[in-house]
């Protein structure tokens, strides 16, 4: 038995988005496996670190796709918000795994700096060159809808960054091939690891914030409060809470003091429309009349 609960402005994922993410995931998984194999065979930390970066982005594509799929699942008596919270937990796990992998890459790069080994430049150029093509194709998949959906935009930016990183690897391969300066390989590996570390740390902190029901980074609490108070029928607001339901959906509860109870439904409609523009799809209001006292102790 399914439990019905109106979440106001929920939207189901489109089939096109599912196809986009599926193609992107398959293309990049194939390339990651090839790049890992080439990196180990030719002892190239540049290729291995770039593969790690690409693997993290495969994870981000999977998380985004899972978020779309979970949005279609029915809510139940035991999961009244559905399974959307799993997208936050998956994001947190992905960030932790990514940072652990970066630590391993850094250790290996330092060892190679201390004990340089000969690296074949041509295989690096060829493998990373294929990466430019694969990442470029994936970037184009998300180009059309990047301004319509935050998940799609995130995937687009990740893959665009991957394309640029692969360009850097190709450049190092060319230099190694013509100069024999093998020490450049671990240097490039460290540079890529730093890029991954910065992105991974941001992912970890935001995932932790969402996992602890903190206000999402793209939500401005004072601005939300100001816009609610700007409504002509709202006298005051308190007990305001905003938290994430998933990586793509936010919720709000608040005690609203109205000037005129006759305008209740119109006011709620106006507030929900305004909140939707700020990325808050699910809002619940407890209505109070001017001059009444809030019964909740924490309201004072």
């Amino acid at each position: 038995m399914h439990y019905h609960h109106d979440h106001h402005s929920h939207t189901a994922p489109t089939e096109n988005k599912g196809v986009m993410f599926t193609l992107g995931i398959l293309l990049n998984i194939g390339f990651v496996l090839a790049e890992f194999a080439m990196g180990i065979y030719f002892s190239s930390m540049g290729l291995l670190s770039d593969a790690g970066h690409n693997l993290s982005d495969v994870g981000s594509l999977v998380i985004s796709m899972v978020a779309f799929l979970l949005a279609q699942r029915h809510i139940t008596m035991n999961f009244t918000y559905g399974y959307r919270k799993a997208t936050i937990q998956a994001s947190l796990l992905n960030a932790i795994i990514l940072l652990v992998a970066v630590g391993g890459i850094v250790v290996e790069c330092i060892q190679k700096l201390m004990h340089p080994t000969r690296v074949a430049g041509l295989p690096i150029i060829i493998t990373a060159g294929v990466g430019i093509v694969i990442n470029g194709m994936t970037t184009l998949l998300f180009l059309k809808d990047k301004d319509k959906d935050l998940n799609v935009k995130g995937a687009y930016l990740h893959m665009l960054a991957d394309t640029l990183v692969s360009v850097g690897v190709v450049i190092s391969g060319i230099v190694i091939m013509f100069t024999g300066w093998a020490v450049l390989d671990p240097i490039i590996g460290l540079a890529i690891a730093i890029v991954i570390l910065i992105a991974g740390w941001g992912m970890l902190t935001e995932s932790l914030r969402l996992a602890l029901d903190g206000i999402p980074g793209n939500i401005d609490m004072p601005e939300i409060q100001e816009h609610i108070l700007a409504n002509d029928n709202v006298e005051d607001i308190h007990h305001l809470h905003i938290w994430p339901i998933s990586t793509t959906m936010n919720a709000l509860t608040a005690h609203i003091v109205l000037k005129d109870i006759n305008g209740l439904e119109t006011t709620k409609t106006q507030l929900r429309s305004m909140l939707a523009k700020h990325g808050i799809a699910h809002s619940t209001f407890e209505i109070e009349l001017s001059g009444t006292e809030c019964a909740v102790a924490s309201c004072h």
Side-chain angles (χ1 to χ4, degrees):
M1 180 180 70
H2 296 305
Y3 172 66
H4 178 72
H5 182 188
D6 183 14
H7 278 185
H8 311 306
S9 60
H10 296 179
T11 56
T14 64
E15 184 177 347
N16 285 340
K17 288 178 182 177
V19 172
M20 283 193 306
F21 281 110
T22 300
L23 286 176
I25 290 168
L26 291 177
L27 282 171
N28 283 272
I29 285 178
F31 177 61
V32 165
L33 293 175
E35 198 168 26
F36 266 124
M38 294 291 284
I40 292 173
Y41 184 81
F42 290 104
S43 189
S44 169
M45 286 312 302
L47 287 177
L48 288 175
S49 57
D50 190 41
H53 191 186
N54 285 316
L55 182 60
S56 72
D57 288 325
V58 169
S60 73
L61 292 177
V62 171
I63 289 172
S64 296
M65 186 172 181
V66 168
F68 284 127
L69 295 176
L70 288 176
Q72 298 182 73
R73 296 293 299 274
H74 291 289
I75 57 178
T76 68
M77 290 289 289
N78 292 324
F79 294 90
T80 57
Y81 277 122
Y83 302 93
R84 295 176 179 88
K85 201 78 169 183
T87 61
I88 295 174
Q89 297 164 345
S91 179
L92 178 60
L93 178 61
N94 188 41
I96 293 173
I97 293 173
L98 173 62
L99 292 178
V100 170
V102 169
I105 290 172
V106 170
V107 170
E108 185 65 23
C109 285
I110 292 174
Q111 291 178 349
K112 283 222 166 191
L113 280 172
M114 297 174 63
H115 307 286
T117 58
R118 180 72 178 176
V119 178
L122 185 58
I124 295 176
I125 297 173
I126 295 174
T127 307
V130 173
I132 295 175
V133 175
I134 296 296
N135 291 327
M137 289 173 58
T138 309
T139 301
L140 291 176
L141 282 174
F142 301 113
L143 179 62
K144 181 180 179 181
D145 293 332
K146 69 181 179 66
D147 294 323
K148 300 177 183 178
D149 186 285
L150 289 177
N151 272 329
V152 175
K153 185 174 184 178
Y156 168 81
L157 293 176
H158 272 293
M159 301 319 303
L160 179 61
D162 276 353
T163 304
L164 297 177
V165 169
S166 292
V167 170
V169 174
V170 167
I171 292 174
S172 72
I174 293 174
V175 173
I176 291 172
M177 187 171 64
F178 286 100
T179 67
W181 194 26
V183 72
L184 184 63
D185 179 61
I187 291 176
I188 292 292
L190 283 173
I192 296 174
I194 291 173
V195 172
I196 303 171
L197 179 62
I198 294 173
W201 183 255
M203 186 191 305
L204 177 65
T205 55
E206 182 63 14
S207 297
L208 278 173
R209 180 209 295 262
L210 298 182
L212 295 173
D213 285 342
I215 297 176
N218 63 331
I219 298 293
D220 187 333
M221 173 78 94
E223 182 181 18
I224 295 294
Q225 187 168 0
E226 180 182 336
H227 285 185
I228 292 176
L229 289 172
N231 188 284
D232 292 336
N233 196 31
V234 175
E235 180 176 298
D236 194 16
I237 179 175
H238 46 257
H239 212 51
L240 175 62
H241 298 282
I242 301 173
W243 73 97
I245 294 177
S246 73
T247 54
T248 58
M249 180 179 292
N250 304 311
L252 173 149
T253 60
H255 288 213
I256 306 291
V257 181
L258 296 185
K259 300 174 184 177
D260 180 10
I261 191 62
N262 293 320
L264 170 61
E265 293 304 323
T266 298
T267 302
K268 288 197 298 183
T269 299
Q270 292 171 344
L271 291 179
R272 284 183 176 134
S273 177
M274 178 274 294
L275 292 171
K277 296 177 182 178
H278 288 271
I280 300 175
H282 181 89
S283 53
T284 303
F285 306 115
E286 179 167 329
I287 303 301
E288 301 171 11
L289 295 179
S290 179
T292 60
E293 184 176 352
C294 178
V296 181
S298 59
C299 291
H300 301 301

